[in-house]
């Protein structure tokens, strides 16, 4: 049985005018970047002591999923990309503090330099790690953003090292944590370089 081929129909000029699309991805990205910059730079410029606490609770108030929608696709070296990684790290520490403490403890003897930068209480129990990650995030409003990024990077590196040395470690999970550490560290160095110019 032979089938006759037809030329595809070409929509008229009015066809595309009728389609209602979503938001322009370029505009969404630009808005996300601008919001991130304003959040970081505005928090530093504010004299309001509550800004650090509101910033800390952003993921809880808005939901990590909302933050992910806005910032997760941003480049790792952008402020938006850095904020996404910082909030993701905090959410993970608060969701799994016992596992994080175990991984940090396993890694801190093997990553001495990073341990000092991470600034975790000794011994690093679950509550101490939650307090540390909160203090790092508060630093967006109270200290230099480069320091925040470098402390978070050091923490992630210690955890990645510990995760790699624990029995039954997930190689993919180790790699992801190490990549996060490297991205935060690189962004911290970029931030330092920009400050020195």
């Amino acid at each position: 049985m032979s089938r006759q081929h037809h030329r595809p129909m070409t929509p008229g000029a009015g066809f595309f005018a009728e389609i209602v699309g979503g938001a322009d991805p370029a505009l969404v990205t630009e808005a996300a970047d601008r919001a991130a910059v304003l959040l970081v730079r505005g928090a530093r410029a504010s004299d309001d002591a509550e800004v650090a606490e509101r910033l800390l609770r952003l993921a809880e108030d808005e939901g990590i999923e909302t933050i992910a929608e806005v910032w997760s696709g941003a480049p790792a070296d952008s402020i938006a990309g850095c904020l996404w990684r910082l909030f993701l790290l905090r959410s993970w520490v608060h969701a799994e503090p016992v596992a994080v403490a175990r991984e940090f403890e396993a890694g801190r003897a093997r990553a001495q330099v990073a341990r000092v930068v991470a600034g975790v209480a000794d011994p690093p129990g679950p509550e101490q790690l939650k307090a540390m990650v909160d203090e790092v995030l508060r630093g967006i409003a109270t200290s230099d953003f480069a320091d925040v990024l470098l402390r978070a990077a050091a923490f992630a590196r210690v955890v990645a090292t510990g995760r790699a040395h624990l029995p039954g470690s997930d190689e993919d999970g180790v790699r992801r944590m190490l990549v996060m550490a490297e991205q935060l560290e690189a962004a911290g160095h970029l931030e330092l370089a920009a400050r020195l110019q």
Side-chain angles (χ1 to χ4, degrees):
M1 174 170 158
S2 77
R3 189 172 156 175
Q4 224 176 353
H5 295 283
H6 297 283
R7 185 178 210 181
M9 273 187 14
T10 318
F15 178 81
F16 292 105
E18 298 292 322
I19 296 175
V20 178
D24 180 346
L27 292 176
V28 171
T29 299
E30 183 183 334
D33 288 344
R34 187 173 297 145
V37 169
L38 288 172
L39 187 66
V40 169
R41 305 299 184 225
R44 288 276 330 236
S46 175
D47 290 333
D48 185 354
E50 291 298 309
V51 169
E53 291 306 311
R54 285 196 304 268
L55 189 57
L56 181 65
R57 306 279 176 240
L58 184 64
E60 291 165 14
D61 296 344
E62 299 303 322
I64 194 70
E65 299 81 13
T66 303
I67 292 173
E69 259 183 68
V70 178
W71 290 329
S72 65
D77 61 352
S78 68
I79 291 180
C82 291
L83 285 177
W84 164 239
R85 283 155 182 79
L86 291 170
F87 280 112
L88 187 63
L89 201 57
R90 180 185 185 267
S91 294
W92 171 65
V93 171
H94 278 264
E96 299 181 33
V98 174
V100 175
R102 200 175 110 229
E103 291 174 351
F104 187 87
E105 179 62 31
R108 73 187 187 129
R110 294 172 175 91
Q112 290 293 331
V113 175
R115 177 180 166 230
V116 173
V117 179
V120 179
D122 198 8
E127 293 308 311
Q128 289 81 11
L129 287 172
K130 286 185 345 188
M132 182 280 309
V133 78
D134 285 355
E135 193 55 38
V136 168
L137 220 58
R138 275 188 199 97
I140 294 170
T142 61
S143 66
D144 191 89
F145 193 52
D147 294 339
V148 170
L149 296 174
L150 293 173
R151 282 188 71 196
F155 174 74
R157 189 171 299 282
V158 171
V159 169
T161 303
R163 192 177 276 184
H165 286 86
L166 286 172
S169 66
D170 169 28
E171 192 176 312
D172 200 39
V174 172
R175 191 177 312 111
R176 278 193 311 270
M177 187 59 69
L178 193 54
V179 166
M180 180 183 284
E182 289 168 354
Q183 290 172 334
L184 288 168
E185 187 174 350
H189 289 301
L190 282 174
E191 189 75 15
L192 279 173
R195 188 177 68 194
L196 296 174
Q197 289 178 350

